Amino acid sequence: MVANDLSGTLPPDLSSLSWLASLVLTWNSLSGHVPTDLVSLTALDSLTLWYNSISGSVPSLLPPNLGYLEMSSNRLSGELPRQVGGLPALWYLALSANSISGTIPSEFTLLTAIKTAKMGQNKISGTIPWEVRNLSLAESLSLHENRISGTLPIEVGTLGLLKDFSVSTCALSGTIPEIYYSLTSLKTLGMSFNRISGTLSSELSKLSNLFELGASNTHISGTIPTEIGSTLTKLQGLALGTTRLSGSLPPLAALTSLERLLLQSNAITGELPSLESLLNLTYVALFGNFLTGRIRLPATTWLDSVLLHQNRLSCHMSGNFSEAAANVSNSLVLPGNAIQADLPAWLPTKAAAFLYVSSNLWHAWRIEVIQAAAGLTLLLLFLVLYMGTRVHQYLHFTPHGPVEKLQVSLAMLAGVWGIPMCALLLPIYKLGSNFFECGKFSLTFTIAYLIDDPLLEWAAAIAACLFAASSSALVVAVQSASSSCETILRRTTTTAVTAPESGYTVRELVVLVLAWTAILFFLSIPSQLYVISTSVPGGENRLGLSSSVLDLSQNVTAAVLALITVFILPRAAHVLARAVRGGVPDRHMAVRLMMSGRLVVACIVPFVFTVLLDQQ
């Protein structure tokens, strides 16, 4: 009675069917507890109640000759009863996707006939009992997505018939016991999302029947054994992403059955081996490494995801792009790389942090170029309307008087000061570009190719900070020299300049701080929107913002911030300083307000929002 939309509870009258050998009630809406009267059904060999709403605990009294028990995907809770160990004929036990808690009782290991035990997706805690070695006939042990702790038990390595062993998403630690590599019948080994450490032994090559190897999001370090690429020819899934692996990738050409290759977010270096022979490949995730060389994809239509960003890949790409374009739905090959080729249609370029393509650049970036041109046009138009006939002052400035001449001279000195900075940074950028096999020569002297090398990034950051500090010192010198000149001019001119009183009352300071804080709150909204637009996914965020709104915010924020910092903030600062002093202008206070406002709007607010949104 499969998928008959049965509801209600299991009737106690079932115990009167003394001849019943198999009871299958899968895919229904049955609820309530399993009747204890079923223990009287001595002929019952198979009980299948998978995918219902049965609650309560696992029955402690079950038919004595039961060999097959399937109760996955229900609402079972409580602990595993010790009486389960008293079913000598039980060879199949499935209790996955429930809410069973407690520990695995040692009596469980008395099920010497057991071949399959599926207890994943529960709340089981404690450790795996060492008596598990008694399950000599076991072929499948699934304990994934539980709260099991401790280490991987050595005793599992004695189960010579074991084919599937899954303990992913638990709280296990320690290293992989060497004896596990003697399980030559093993087809699936799942250990992802644990605190397992150590290295992958070359003995892994003995597992020649392995289909799936999963150890992602662990603390495994070292290199990937080269033997994997030549001996594990049946491998369909290799998941070692977000670990501490380093070194180079072994040749992968012999893994012709491979469908999923997940080695992302490691420290893997060297040249990316060719993937052209992997015709069954559907998912590739190698992003966040230090891979170099060329991308050689298989000429197949099975590819669904290609994630190779944040590497140092370059040169021409090879692969059957015209056919792959129909199926590849999640591709991100380019950002952080330096590709020299016409791009296939399925490669997105809009989200690229950096992208160089030697040809077809207009096709890849035409939307961004149009947006930049439109924004620049609007900015110039606003400048003309705002400045009127004085717009030429932004293009040509003639200093008048000693103060302005001194300011221009020191500004020119600050510009010349940038030359040593370039002489310091250019070798750093050039050294960073050596990670790319190919690329445009002119870009090797820019920050565009400086990727993922901590030493070089620190050197560039320190040099930039030194330049910023020295430039700030020049600005202070400009202000000090200007003040000195103004003092001299006041003493030598006959026209008295009325300066505002130096002191502010407590009331004036409070009004000034509160008003300026309110103004900065509203002027910081574009900065907030920009951080949000680059940090949250469109249409799938708690703010309810669509992708179009986020894209619009990201594209127009730069122009809006330019208007705010160049025009609105200075005007607002002067107006506020004058209003607080009763109509008397205070240029010094206005400058302080303007600089503090620029710091808040352009630096502090974006940084705070980035931290609050948990972004790097």
Side-chain angles (χ1 to χ4, degrees), residues 182-218:
S182 64
L183 298 173
T184 55
S185 298
L186 205 61
K187 294 183 178 180
T188 302
L189 179 58
M191 304 173 292
S192 299
F193 294 94
N194 281 288
R195 295 193 292 271
I196 298 171
S197 57
T199 60
L200 293 175
S201 171
S202 59
E203 297 294 307
L204 188 64
S205 60
K206 294 181 179 179
L207 305 181
S208 57
N209 292 310
L210 201 63
F211 284 8
E212 298 281 344
L213 174 60
S216 295
N217 293 87
T218 62

Side-chain angles (χ1 to χ4, degrees), residues 379 382-383 386 394 516 519-520 522-527 557-574 590-591 593-606:
L379 182 61
F382 181 85
L383 183 63
Y386 181 79
Y394 273 81
W516 192 236
I519 292 172
L520 293 183
F522 288 104
L523 295 181
S524 299
I525 292 177
S527 299
T557 299
V560 174
L561 281 178
L563 295 177
I564 290 175
T565 56
V566 175
F567 300 107
I568 300 177
L569 270 175
R571 175 68 64 180
H574 281 286
V591 171
L593 292 176
M594 179 182 65
M595 297 306 294
S596 65
R598 287 174 173 172
L599 181 65
V600 170
V601 171
C603 297
I604 295 178
V605 168

Side-chain angles (χ1 to χ4, degrees), residues 362-376:
W362 170 251
H363 176 74
W365 288 94
R366 61 184 183 276
I367 296 178
E368 284 74 13
V369 172
I370 293 173
Q371 290 174 342
L376 183 61

Side-chain angles (χ1 to χ4, degrees), residues 58 76-81 98-105 122-125 146-147:
V58 179
L76 297 174
S77 59
E79 299 185 1
L80 287 169
N98 283 289
S99 298
I100 299 172
S101 58
T103 61
I104 302 174
N122 280 290
K123 300 177 181 178
I124 299 172
S125 58
N146 276 292
R147 301 172 182 175

Side-chain angles (χ1 to χ4, degrees), residues 17-64:
L17 303 176
S18 57
W19 45 265
L20 188 65
S22 178
L23 178 60
V24 180
L25 297 171
T26 301
W27 278 91
N28 284 291
S29 300
L30 297 171
S31 58
H33 296 216
V34 178
T36 56
D37 296 339
L38 293 182
V39 69
S40 62
L41 298 178
T42 56
L44 190 65
D45 173 71
S46 176
L47 177 59
T48 304
L49 300 173
W50 176 62
Y51 215 100
N52 281 282
S53 299
I54 295 174
S55 57
S57 58
V58 179
S60 58
L61 297 176
L62 290 167

Side-chain angles (χ1 to χ4, degrees), residues 183-524:
L183 298 173
T184 55
S185 298
L186 205 61
K187 294 183 178 180
T188 302
L189 179 58
M191 304 173 292
S192 299
F193 294 94
N194 281 288
R195 295 193 292 271
I196 298 171
S197 57
T199 60
L200 293 175
S201 171
S202 59
E203 297 294 307
L204 188 64
S205 60
K206 294 181 179 179
L207 305 181
S208 57
N209 292 310
L210 201 63
F211 284 8
E212 298 281 344
L213 174 60
S216 295
N217 293 87
T218 62
H219 297 166
I220 291 177
S221 58
T223 60
I224 301 175
T226 57
E227 294 81 1
I228 286 182
S230 58
T231 58
L232 304 186
T233 55
K234 297 180 181 180
L235 203 62
Q236 297 178 1
L238 178 61
L240 299 173
T242 317
T243 62
R244 300 175 181 176
L245 290 171
S246 57
S248 59
L249 285 178
L252 303 173
L255 305 182
T256 55
S257 299
L258 196 64
E259 299 176 4
R260 297 168 301 281
L261 179 61
L262 288 78
L263 298 172
Q264 75 279 2
S265 301
N266 283 294
I268 300 174
T269 58
E271 186 175 351
L272 174 66
S274 174
L275 307 177
E276 291 175 307
S277 63
L278 309 183
L279 299 180
N280 293 306
L281 203 61
T282 60
Y283 193 99
V284 183
L286 295 171
F287 61 87
N289 284 288
F290 305 100
L291 294 170
T292 61
R294 305 166 183 255
I295 301 175
R296 298 179 176 91
L297 297 174
T300 175
T301 59
W302 296 109
L303 277 175
D304 181 68
S305 294
V306 181
L307 306 175
L308 299 175
H309 52 290
Q310 296 177 6
N311 278 289
R312 295 161 179 168
L313 302 169
S314 56
C315 309
H316 292 273
M317 299 175 62
S318 61
N320 194 348
F321 303 135
S322 60
E323 295 182 11
N327 277 353
V328 176
S329 59
N330 187 15
S331 302
L332 202 58
V333 172
L334 298 173
N337 297 309
I339 309 300
Q340 278 191 323
D342 290 336
L343 302 182
W346 48 266
L347 287 180
T349 58
K350 187 173 183 180
F354 163 68
L355 167 67
Y356 164 66
V357 184
S358 61
S359 61
N360 208 16
L361 189 61
W362 170 251
H363 176 74
W365 288 94
R366 61 184 183 276
I367 296 178
E368 284 74 13
V369 172
I370 293 173
Q371 290 174 342
L376 183 61
T377 302
L378 291 175
L379 182 61
L380 292 175
L381 180 61
F382 181 85
L383 183 63
V384 171
L385 294 176
Y386 181 79
M387 296 294 298
T389 58
R390 296 175 295 138
V391 69
H392 66 279
Q393 295 180 5
Y394 273 81
L395 305 176
H396 177 71
F397 174 71
T398 302
H400 298 285
V403 175
E404 291 184 353
K405 290 181 179 179
L406 178 62
Q407 290 175 338
V408 171
S409 299
L410 290 177
M412 293 175 64
L413 178 62
V416 175
W417 184 246
I419 297 176
M421 179 65 180
C422 294
L424 179 63
L425 283 179
L426 288 180
I428 297 176
Y429 295 152
K430 179 61 178 176
L431 181 60
S433 69
N434 291 333
F435 293 118
F436 290 97
E437 181 182 352
C438 306
K440 195 171 184 178
F441 178 77
S442 61
L443 292 180
T444 59
F445 292 98
T446 69
I447 200 171
Y449 281 3
L450 186 62
I451 297 174
D452 294 335
D453 186 86
L455 181 61
L456 294 177
E457 289 185 345
W458 271 110
I462 291 173
C465 289
L466 291 175
F467 175 71
S470 59
S471 299
S472 299
L474 286 175
V475 171
V476 173
V478 170
Q479 183 179 10
S480 177
S482 300
S483 299
S484 300
C485 288
E486 288 179 354
T487 302
I488 296 174
L489 287 175
R490 290 194 191 100
R491 294 173 180 175
T492 57
T493 56
T494 57
T495 304
V497 179
T498 303
E501 297 180 6
S502 58
Y504 277 78
T505 65
V506 175
R507 177 181 175 277
E508 289 175 337
L509 288 175
V510 170
V511 172
L512 190 69
V513 171
L514 292 179
W516 192 236
T517 301
I519 292 172
L520 293 183
F521 175 80
F522 288 104
L523 295 181
S524 299

